[in-house]
Amino acid sequence: MPPKTAKQAPAAHAADSHDLIRVHGARVNNLKDVSIELPKRRLTVFTGVSGSGKSSLVFSTIAAESQRLINETYSAFVQGFMPSLARPEVDVLEGLTTAIIVDQQRMGSDPRSTVGTATDANAMLRILFSRLGTPHIGSPQAFSFNVASISGAGAVTLEKGGQKFKERREFSITGGMCARCEGRGSVNDIDLTQLYDESKSLNEGAITIPGYSMDGWYGRIFSGSGFFDMDKPVRKFTKKQLFDLLYKEPTKIKVEGINLTYEGLVPKIQKSMLSKDVDSLQSHVRAFVERAVTFQTCPECDGTRLSELARSSKVKGVSIADACAMQISDLAEWVRGVRDRSVAPLLEKLGHTLDSFVEIGLGYLSLDRPAGTLSGGEAQRTKMIRHLGSSLTDVTYVFDEPTIGLHPHDIERMNNLLLRLRDKGNTVLVVEHKPETIAIADHVVDLGPGAGTGGGEVCFEGTVDGLRASTTVTGRHFDDRTVLKDDVRTPTGALEVRGASTHNLRDVDVDIPLGVLVVVTGVAGSGKSSLIHGSVEGREGVVVVDQTPIRGSRRSNPATYTGLLEPIRKAFAKANGVKPALFSANSEGACPACNGAGVIYMDLGIMATMETTCEECEGRRFQASVLEYKFGGRNISEVLAMPVAEAEEFFANGEAATPAAYRILDRLEDVGLGYLTLGQPLTTLSGGERQRLKLATHMGEKGGIYVLDEPTTGLHLADVEQLLGLLDRLVESGKSVIVIEHHQAVMAHADWIIDLGPGAGHDGGRIVFEGTPTDLVKNRKTLTGEHLATYVGV
């Protein structure tokens, strides 16, 4: 008999060998030749101190290259309409799959953009009402506040059988836009006295609108128009001249041989400033708009944005305006009650979308909520909705701190969603600081050891247990728990809030203690921000540091953003007897070859724009003659290359002592940004670094009450300790600090806690607890109390 042979295992298929995403030699931003291998179809969490290089590795390297390769599959014609992406600085990137990025970028701040329009829920509702609404008023666009009703008539020339003849035609489009507010829900009234000083002439600077200087193009347009005398005070203008200044329709004019368009100030402001969300404007422009323009709810549509005709059509006694104003959890119930076989697939899809909102913890929103008012965390979770029911597998999902803005009670729900995406066969990459989310990872990559130039290296790669046992900053702080205070500070007074009813608040009365650290907490959507921003912000002496991201171009840097460059320029100018403008790379001192950018950009059409270091200034941004001027033995380029900590010493004493610069640098050091260089472009800063830069800037404002909205956003566990020290120093210096926060370490460190709830939306809006953290833990009757007790181990 032939001998028995053991059964041989089938050879592995070549296609199954690609189970890793391989990154070798990544050098984007501060990454130092990073090489890692990430398992596919697993949940990998990237952690490390703020500014350690997490986003550079995940977003700017892995996700960016995936998107670039996908874009290259399109024709050159189509690529011309897409953003051109440069190949990241990396030697090898293998095993990439299609990347879907769900980041913290705020949603479009267009005044007409709402939660409903951003998620397609509105589009489905419009079809539903166009099919089932009574009376029937028209197609889905009859229910759209972005479509105006128009009609027209005229003659058209037709040719039939070799003969031409004219025929009268009429057309009409029924849209749902409110004619009064043009679909914005609010109308504005401009205070003309804020636009100009009538005692001055235009040449003397009568126009007080930001940016309307008579030295630039606006001055040329006004003087070249010939509509008025530039040297006559505005109060002496005739009615026609004043009308032309304020309201004249766009008119073609010729100035110095160039064809230009003149337009009155009011329509110009409405197009350039009032057509945008106020919060998206630059600070000085926003201050002008808030001073010169009053906004009020549109009296014709009552803020619904819809025409009376659109509101007249109803399904089961509910108009589309009523449906959009409902809390989404209630709207989902209403949709389940609508039964009609003719629209059954639509109802199923709409119901699934609305249920996804509830599942992801956003059931307290309404579809008519302006998209620009969503926080970074809410915007990120709203973008997640379209992926929850997706049939795609083997996709790489990339998340940027998905737990931002979430109460500990809601984090478990977010964790389950991340695990569900993984279990469908997807690769999930998450940048995260919260230990609750790091704990569910299959694979952890810890970057560091420090931030900025002190980071950019892989300190640990492996399991969560391995991270705990490691000696990295994250490993050491992973199980840190802030203990409850034995003694709390005694308040010096109280800020009274009476009958607060903003959004979902229910006539809330509360006394907020002053002279201590107060934490306002509660589940997402419980009314925390409504209470503080609706009833505390705007009072005298209140300085608010909210969640709006700081804006800045590649020319902006910490020195320009904080106002630090101003005293430095003046000090250089005084020491050398020249103009301060010479020491600005955006003004007279700029290198003429690169216009002060330090790099020269070359547009290569469909390919990524190339940038090369300017050969003239070698990236220093200034003219050679400017660099000859010294202050304290350093030129302006060398000063801007200094880290904050070194610059603080430089300007503290000796011949370079500059008190105004030192004060700003001391605040930057205080918030933990001592490693940043003064001239580092804002576009290269991480989210946590931007948040702290903003905090440092606001600390210079005069006010006795500081309101901080989730200051732990983007902060590592180790950075939170430094933040708590900063909050203590603020209180000890005589300030009152009010923090809207979910982080248990900040709650445990508070002197007084105000807990809102018990739920979100119409289930919240009430004060469920006021007192010390110790009492909250003993009480344990609220969700916050339960989670804080678990956190401190009581």
Side-chain angles (χ1 to χ4, degrees):
M1 289 179 67
K4 287 184 179 179
T5 55
K7 265 191 178 177
Q8 288 191 340
H13 196 288
D16 297 329
S17 62
H18 302 283
D19 285 336
L20 295 172
I21 295 175
R22 294 184 177 86
V23 181
H24 291 285
R27 298 177 298 279
V28 174
N29 295 332
N30 67 332
L31 297 180
K32 297 172 181 173
D33 228 25
V34 166
S35 297
I36 57 166
E37 293 185 344
L38 306 175
K40 286 186 184 176
R41 295 177 287 281
R42 295 293 183 271
L43 172 61
T44 300
V45 172
F46 294 79
T47 185
V49 296
S50 175
S52 60
K54 304 181 297 296
S55 295
S56 297
L57 177 59
V58 180
F59 289 92
S60 303
T61 304
I62 298 171
E65 178 66 355
S66 173
Q67 291 208 318
R68 187 186 73 83
L69 292 172
I70 290 168
N71 286 1
E72 282 192 351
T73 64
Y74 298 108
S75 68
F77 173 76
V78 175
Q79 286 183 57
F81 296 98
M82 293 175 147
S84 54
L85 301 168
R87 187 182 188 280
E89 273 196 82
V90 60
D91 294 333
V92 178
L93 261 176
E94 290 179 346
L96 295 178
T97 66
T98 303
I100 294 175
I101 299 173
V102 188
D103 59 18
Q104 292 174 41
Q105 289 295 321
R106 291 293 182 100
M107 298 181 80
S109 54
D110 187 292
R112 290 200 181 90
S113 180
T114 65
V115 170
T117 60
T119 56
D120 298 335
N122 257 40
M124 289 184 273
L125 267 182
R126 291 198 297 269
I127 297 170
L128 178 67
F129 274 84
S130 71
R131 299 290 189 275
L132 304 183
T134 53
H136 177 74
I137 61 170
S139 67
Q141 64 186 11
F143 297 92
S144 171
F145 51 74
N146 287 322
V147 179
S149 294
I150 55 173
S151 60
V156 294
T157 302
L158 302 173
E159 188 172 342
K160 285 184 181 178
Q163 288 187 328
K164 290 184 180 179
F165 58 94
K166 289 188 176 180
E167 196 175 281
R168 182 175 172 77
R169 294 280 177 90
E170 295 182 0
F171 77 94
S172 68
I173 295 173
T174 304
M177 180 189 286
C178 168
R180 173 75 188 278
C181 65
E182 296 182 343
R184 289 190 176 90
S186 64
V187 289
N188 53 63
D189 191 19
I190 298 174
D191 180 0
L192 299 180
T193 62
Q194 296 292 335
L195 306 188
Y196 59 87
D197 180 348
E198 64 174 11
S199 65
K200 296 180 179 177
S201 69
L202 294 178
N203 276 337
E204 291 170 336
I207 297 175
T208 55
I209 306 167
Y212 280 63
S213 164
M214 291 300 110
D215 298 331
W217 273 106
Y218 281 116
R220 294 192 205 179
I221 291 171
F222 280 114
S223 60
S225 68
F227 297 139
F228 22 69
D229 184 346
M230 297 290 290
D231 294 313
K232 190 193 331 187
V234 174
R235 67 163 171 258
K236 294 185 178 178
F237 276 19
T238 63
K239 280 187 179 178
K240 182 169 187 329
Q241 287 174 329
L242 193 58
F243 177 86
D244 287 346
L245 176 67
L246 295 175
Y247 302 108
K248 192 168 184 70
E249 67 281 356
T251 306
K252 298 286 184 188
I253 59 172
K254 202 162 206 169
V255 178
E256 299 170 16
I258 301 170
N259 291 320
L260 297 169
T261 301
Y262 173 86
E263 189 173 16
L265 293 178
V266 171
K268 191 85 174 168
I269 290 171
Q270 285 174 330
K271 286 178 187 174
S272 63
M273 298 178 187
L274 304 187
S275 62
K276 300 173 184 171
D277 183 54
V278 177
D279 293 329
S280 70
L281 300 171
Q282 291 176 290
S283 56
H284 67 292
V285 178
R286 183 168 67 241
F288 163 75
V289 169
E290 288 170 350
R291 186 174 69 247
V293 183
T294 54
F295 295 89
Q296 61 184 39
T297 303
C298 175
E300 283 193 19
C301 68
D302 200 24
T304 63
R305 307 161 180 256
L306 293 158
S307 65
E308 190 177 349
L309 182 66
R311 287 177 279 135
S312 68
S313 182
K314 298 187 177 181
V315 175
K316 290 183 66 180
V318 172
S319 72
I320 191 168
D322 299 331
C324 289
M326 283 184 193
Q327 186 166 304
I328 288 175
S329 55
D330 295 340
L331 180 58
E333 284 294 321
W334 179 80
V335 168
R336 275 192 282 275
V338 178
R339 291 185 176 87
D340 193 300
R341 292 183 64 184
S342 66
V343 288
L346 176 71
L347 288 170
E348 186 182 347
K349 173 69 175 165
L350 177 58
H352 177 268
T353 300
L354 297 175
D355 287 339
S356 296
F357 270 104
V358 178
E359 188 179 1
I360 211 163
L362 294 177
Y364 60 88
L365 296 177
S366 60
L367 294 184
D368 63 0
R369 169 88 173 258
T373 64
L374 296 181
S375 68
E378 286 172 333
Q380 183 170 215
R381 298 201 293 283
T382 300
K383 292 175 197 169
M384 281 181 73
I385 284 166
R386 66 180 66 245
H387 304 303
L388 292 184
S390 172
S391 302
L392 291 172
T393 60
D394 269 322
V395 169
T396 299
Y397 285 98
V398 187
F399 293 96
D400 189 5
E401 291 190 60
T403 59
I404 280 181
L406 287 184
H407 187 271
H409 172 68
D410 299 312
I411 290 178
E412 188 177 344
R413 191 178 340 194
M414 175 59 68
N415 286 349
N416 289 334
L417 291 172
L418 296 174
L419 292 171
R420 265 176 51 194
L421 284 173
R422 177 204 66 184
D423 293 345
K424 282 171 61 178
N426 297 305
T427 304
V428 182
L429 308 181
V430 182
V431 173
E432 189 53 84
H433 293 296
K434 294 275 176 69
E436 298 96 324
T437 300
I438 299 172
I440 66 167
D442 302 308
H443 190 73
V444 179
V445 178
D446 189 21
L447 284 109
T453 54
E457 299 173 35
V458 175
C459 300
F460 172 83
E461 193 180 350
T463 63
V464 177
D465 289 336
L467 177 69
R468 273 195 173 98
S470 72
T471 57
T472 67
V473 176
T474 307
R476 292 199 307 272
H477 289 273
F478 191 81
D479 292 311
D480 279 4
R481 296 292 181 266
T482 303
V483 295
L484 294 171
K485 285 181 175 178
D486 294 326
D487 297 306
V488 293
R489 301 178 184 94
T490 305
T492 56
L495 191 69
E496 292 186 0
V497 174
R498 296 290 178 266
S501 55
T502 307
H503 297 137
N504 66 330
L505 295 177
R506 303 186 181 187
D507 282 331
V508 169
D509 294 338
V510 64
D511 291 338
I512 301 174
L514 297 177
V516 296
L517 174 59
V518 178
V519 170
V520 181
T521 187
V523 297
S526 59
K528 306 179 296 298
S529 297
S530 299
L531 174 65
I532 300 302
H533 295 304
S535 302
V536 176
E537 185 179 347
R539 295 196 187 192
E540 190 177 348
V542 175
V543 177
V544 178
V545 186
D546 59 20
Q547 290 184 45
T548 51
I550 66 173
R551 289 177 169 80
S553 67
R554 51 196 172 203
R555 285 179 173 272
S556 306
N557 53 50
T560 58
Y561 182 79
T562 59
L564 172 65
L565 190 60
E566 196 62 28
I568 291 176
R569 285 166 52 196
K570 286 179 179 175
F572 265 92
K574 187 176 179 182
N576 293 282
V578 291
K579 290 192 297 183
L582 282 175
F583 303 99
S584 169
N586 298 323
S587 188
E588 291 182 30
C591 163
C594 62
N595 291 324
V599 291
I600 292 175
Y601 299 96
M602 286 178 286
D603 185 6
L604 301 178
I606 62 163
M607 296 177 70
T609 300
M610 276 196 63
E611 56 180 68
T612 53
T613 304
C614 175
E615 293 179 3
E616 182 109 355
C617 66
E618 296 179 338
R620 288 193 287 256
R621 304 177 62 190
F622 292 90
Q623 297 175 25
S625 57
V626 173
L627 298 179
E628 291 174 10
Y629 298 117
K630 301 285 178 83
F631 176 64
R634 304 283 187 100
N635 64 36
I636 185 68
S637 180
E638 289 169 338
V639 167
L640 291 176
M642 286 182 182
V644 167
E646 185 186 334
E648 187 181 13
E649 285 182 35
F650 180 75
F651 288 108
N653 40 48
E655 61 176 312
T658 311
Y662 174 77
R663 283 195 296 272
I664 297 172
L665 289 162
D666 188 46
R667 292 199 300 269
L668 287 170
E669 177 74 36
D670 224 11
V671 297
L673 294 177
Y675 60 88
L676 279 189
T677 56
L678 305 187
Q680 184 174 340
L682 287 190
T683 50
T684 64
L685 300 189
S686 70
E689 287 169 335
R690 288 179 178 224
Q691 178 90 341
R692 285 181 285 169
L693 184 62
K694 184 177 182 180
L695 176 59
T697 306
H698 283 286
M699 279 169 59
E701 295 179 23
K702 291 181 180 176
I705 303 171
Y706 281 87
V707 174
L708 311 180
D709 195 349
E710 296 197 46
T712 60
T713 298
L715 294 191
H716 185 265
L717 298 161
D719 297 323
V720 172
E721 279 187 16
Q722 186 163 6
L723 175 72
L724 294 176
L726 172 63
L727 297 178
D728 279 341
R729 288 194 294 277
L730 282 172
V731 174
E732 283 152 16
S733 69
K735 308 286 186 186
S736 300
V737 180
I738 303 168
V739 183
I740 302 170
E741 190 54 82
H742 292 296
H743 203 296
Q744 296 102 314
V746 182
M747 293 182 207
H749 201 72
D751 298 306
W752 192 259
I753 287 183
I754 298 171
D755 192 12
L756 281 97
H762 56 49
D763 296 326
R766 295 191 290 267
I767 303 285
V768 292
F769 175 83
E770 290 178 80
T772 64
T774 305
D775 291 338
L776 178 62
V777 168
K778 284 180 186 173
N779 187 300
R780 280 204 187 203
K781 288 182 180 175
T782 69
L783 288 170
T784 306
E786 287 177 20
H787 285 278
L788 185 57
T790 305
Y791 175 82
V792 296
V794 174

